[in-house]
Structure formats: C-alpha cells, structure tokens
C-alpha cells in the first residue's frame, strides 16, 4: 500500500506540467521551443524527476518553494564534502569541480574519485577525537563497535561514530547488562543451597534441663 501511494505521488509531481512522457523511455520538455529530451532509466523515476527539476531551474528559472527549502535544509552527510552554491548547484571541496545536480546519489559517485582523501580526513578526525577506544577499523575502512559490533561506513565522517556513542550507548549497555544478568542468574542456579546439619535425632533430642527442672 505504501509503495503504491509513493508511486502515485511521483506520478502527480509538479514537474509533469512541463514535461511530456513520449513513451516508457524518454521525457521531453514542452516549454516554448526547448524540446530537450531525457532518457528514463528503468526503475529510477526519482532520478528522472530530479533531472527534470534541475533542467527547469537552470534553463527556465522554474522551481518549487517546497523543493527549495528541502534542498537548503537537507543535512545529508555528503555535505561535508560539497558546498551548496545555489539551488541544485554544488562545488566539490576536494577538487573544486562544480556540478548542477539535484540527485544526491550522483554526487556520491563523484566522491569515489576522492576515496583516499576522504579516508585521510576521517582518520585524522577519529584520532583527534579519541574515538578509537570504542571502535575497531577494518581494511575496507569500516568501523566496528567494540560493544555491539555494529558496522559503520567511515567515509562520511566521525559524526556517525559520535552519534552511535551518544545515542546508541544505552542500547549497547542494555545488551551487555542483560547478558551479565543472565550469567549471574546461571551462576546462582549452579550454587547448591545450604542445608541444615541437624539430623532427625538432633531435632527430636530434648533440650537439657536446668537445675530447677532436675529437682
């Protein structure tokens, strides 16, 4: 039901006021004599809509206020490596390249060219913040929490590690506390209960009389 509702929202997106679907493979801008066409990638309707939004803004100065606010307020971790120059325009902090792009995953593809620089940057941050006491780093530059063994991609900075320490610490502690309680319970069950040393003869034995009772 959610998938169908999401697909319906995409089909009703405002960009279709300015684009025609020629068939299942292409869309065409119908503003004046633009006639720009774009190929639709199978199963990637969100990307197609993002391309249409970029086209409408940069070529026709047409945009949606809701989309503008969403772009400006987006806090994806990718923005540690890009500067927003304007709506749907960014600048790479590593190489200074400019991109007119409304589809975030395409920017991640560019970062593959700077993977070593990203690793060097994050590695220095981790050492500076003394986060290594909580995590182990593998060869693929993933961090593994020493308490819960959660795998975290480090290419997007130390903030993801700090978030795990600050907000997930309770989960880790709860897990270990539960394990400790189970161990203690098992230990208690394995200790035999202390039994009294008195026998039936001891119980039935009469208490010695005092001097007045002996008379």
């Amino acid at each position: 039901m959610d998938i169908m509702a999401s697909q319906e929202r995409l089909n009703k997106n405002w960009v279709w006021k300015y684009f025609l679907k020629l068939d299942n493979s292409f869309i065409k801008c119908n503003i004046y004599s633009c006639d720009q066409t774009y190929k639709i990638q199978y199963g990637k309707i969100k990307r197609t809509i993002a391309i249409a939004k970029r086209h409408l803004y940069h070529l026709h100065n047409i945009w949606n206020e809701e989309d503008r606010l969403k772009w400006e307020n987006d806090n994806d971790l990718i923005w540690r490596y890009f500067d927003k120059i304007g709506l749907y325009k960014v600048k790479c902090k590593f190489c200074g390249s400019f991109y007119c792009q409304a589809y975030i995953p395409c920017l991640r593809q560019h970062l593959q060219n700077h993977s070593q620089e990203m690793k060097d940057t994050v590695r220095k941050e981790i050492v500076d913040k003394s986060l290594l006491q909580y995590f182990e780093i593998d060869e693929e530059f993933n961090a593994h929490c020493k308490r819960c063994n959660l795998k975290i991609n480090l290419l997007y900075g130390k903030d993801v590690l700090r978030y795990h320490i600050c907000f997930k610490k309770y989960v880790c502690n709860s897990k270990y506390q539960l394990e400790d309680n189970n161990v203690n319970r098992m230990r208690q069950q394995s200790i035999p209960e202390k039994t009294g040393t008195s026998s039936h003869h001891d119980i039935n034995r009469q208490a010695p009389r005092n001097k007045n009772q002996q008379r």
Side-chain angles (χ1 to χ4, degrees):
M1 186 66 180
D2 292 339
I3 296 177
M4 295 179 61
S6 177
Q7 185 65 36
E8 184 177 355
R9 286 195 298 271
L10 292 174
N11 291 333
K12 292 182 178 180
N13 195 282
W14 65 270
V15 300
W16 302 125
K17 292 168 51 179
Y18 305 98
F19 276 86
L20 295 175
K21 295 181 181 179
L22 300 180
D23 50 33
N24 292 329
S25 301
F26 292 91
I27 61 174
K28 175 184 176 182
C29 178
N30 61 2
I31 298 178
Y32 307 118
S33 59
C34 180
D35 293 335
Q36 176 67 50
T37 60
Y38 295 97
K39 183 176 178 60
I40 300 175
Q41 295 189 7
Y42 178 76
K44 295 184 178 180
I45 186 64
K46 288 185 178 180
R47 179 173 183 173
T48 302
I49 291 176
I51 291 173
K53 290 179 179 179
R54 179 195 64 188
H55 171 89
L56 290 172
Y57 177 73
H58 288 288
L59 294 184
H60 304 293
N61 198 30
I62 297 175
W63 47 274
N64 177 281
E65 179 65 14
E66 181 180 349
D67 289 339
R68 184 188 68 81
L69 292 175
K70 184 178 180 180
W71 171 267
E72 292 182 354
N73 297 326
D74 185 84
N75 59 355
D76 192 290
L77 292 174
I78 199 172
W79 299 120
R80 63 184 279 111
Y81 302 119
F82 288 95
D83 287 323
K84 297 177 184 178
I85 305 302
L87 185 60
Y88 307 142
K89 186 175 182 179
V90 302
K91 178 182 178 181
C92 176
K93 293 182 179 180
F94 290 118
C95 63
S97 298
F98 290 90
Y99 288 91
C100 292
Q101 184 59 257
Y103 192 60
I104 302 300
C106 288
L107 297 179
R108 294 193 178 97
Q109 293 178 4
H110 172 76
L111 289 179
Q112 294 178 1
N113 301 323
H114 302 290
S115 59
Q116 187 58 50
E117 296 159 278
M118 293 168 66
K119 289 180 180 180
D120 294 340
T121 300
V122 177
R123 185 178 287 109
K124 184 177 184 300
E125 291 179 349
I126 294 174
V127 173
D128 291 346
K129 295 297 180 180
S130 301
L131 294 173
L132 290 179
Q133 60 180 312
Y134 304 106
F135 299 93
E136 292 181 354
I137 313 300
D138 63 23
E139 296 180 355
E140 297 180 356
F141 211 58
N142 294 310
H144 299 264
C145 177
K146 292 182 179 179
R147 303 207 69 179
C148 67
N149 203 35
L150 179 70
K151 181 179 177 181
I152 303 173
N153 189 319
L154 286 178
L155 294 184
Y156 293 100
K158 67 180 185 303
D159 291 339
V160 289
L161 302 185
R162 295 177 61 186
Y163 173 86
H164 181 71
I165 292 174
C166 296
F167 295 97
K168 301 298 183 182
K169 186 176 181 181
Y170 174 76
V171 177
C172 295
N173 289 339
S174 298
K175 174 184 175 183
Y176 276 81
Q177 184 177 3
L178 179 61
E179 292 178 353
D180 292 342
N181 291 340
N182 291 337
V183 171
N184 292 335
R185 190 178 299 111
M186 293 176 63
R187 287 177 178 174
Q188 291 176 358
Q189 291 175 352
S190 64
I191 299 176
E193 296 182 359
K194 293 183 179 181
T195 58
T197 56
S198 300
S199 63
H200 291 290
H201 298 289
D202 294 327
I203 295 175
N204 296 327
R205 184 180 301 166
Q206 295 182 354
R209 297 179 180 179
N210 56 31
K211 292 182 180 180
N212 294 331
Q213 290 175 330
Q214 291 177 354
R215 289 179 181 177

